[in-house]
Amino acid sequence: MAGARKPVVEVRRSQRRRRTVSAYRDGERVVVLIPDQFSRAEETEWVDRMLARLAAREGRPVRTDAELLQRAARLINLYLAEHGPAAVPASVRWVTNQNGRWGSCTPADRTIRISHRLQDMPDWVIDYVLLHELAHLIVPSHNASFWSLVCRYPKAERARGYLEGVASVAGVPLTD
Ligand SMILES: [Zn+2]
């Protein structure tokens, strides 16, 4: 399922384009054509939107940072709502340098990083790792109150088993 990974994106700006944006797949890359006048913010927004559209058309999930943030918002709402802003991260990103970890959280600057190794995994496993890291914003250590937050997620145990299985097959001691 390598195709579910976030693809390499090449953005091409065109002076002839006014408002229209289009995207197509070119081998491993996705080319996104945008009007030259677009700001950086518009570029980011449209790249995410076009990747989602392309993925929907191709019938597979899209894994962008924006999607990750939406996912976090939904999980906070479902499981950590009473903590309010304490559960809200400053940023959530996919990263490729998480050796030995599925995810990590820095409570000091409220940033969360999720390993790209999860990109091909089912949604409910990604949700578990993300909720785990969000819970660290509230409780930094793995104590009883931390686990009581994480275990609100009905598939927490199942997801932990899934990840342990993947780690043992891969022969790497991956932790959370
Ligand atoms: Zn942890």
Side-chain angles (χ1 to χ4, degrees), residues 102-165:
W102 297 118
S104 67
C105 172
T106 309
D109 63 7
R110 316 192 62 73
T111 56
I112 289 174
R113 290 152 301 278
I114 303 293
S115 170
H116 73 288
R117 291 169 193 262
L118 287 157
Q119 286 184 342
D120 293 342
M121 293 187 195
D123 286 314
W124 56 272
V125 176
I126 297 174
D127 280 352
Y128 163 74
V129 174
L130 190 50
L131 182 68
H132 180 117
E133 301 310 330
L134 290 167
H136 276 315
L137 292 174
I138 302 159
V139 185
S141 63
H142 290 136
N143 60 19
S145 54
F146 171 82
W147 289 114
S148 76
L149 292 177
V150 171
C151 288
R152 291 174 179 180
Y153 182 60
K155 289 181 177 159
E157 272 312 306
R158 223 180 126 198
R160 289 175 61 77
Y162 183 102
L163 292 168
E164 274 168 28

Side-chain angles (χ1 to χ4, degrees), residues 30-71:
V30 169
V31 179
V32 182
L33 303 157
I34 61 170
D36 193 39
Q37 73 214 24
F38 268 18
S39 66
R40 285 284 158 207
E42 281 176 311
E43 175 180 319
T44 305
E45 184 198 329
W46 274 97
V47 165
D48 273 354
R49 201 180 286 182
M50 296 313 282
L51 287 178
R53 245 181 239 178
L54 213 54
R57 207 189 298 157
E58 294 166 357
R60 59 193 179 199
V62 65
R63 311 286 194 207
T64 63
D65 290 351
E67 191 261 354
L68 208 49
L69 195 62
Q70 280 171 14
R71 197 181 276 275

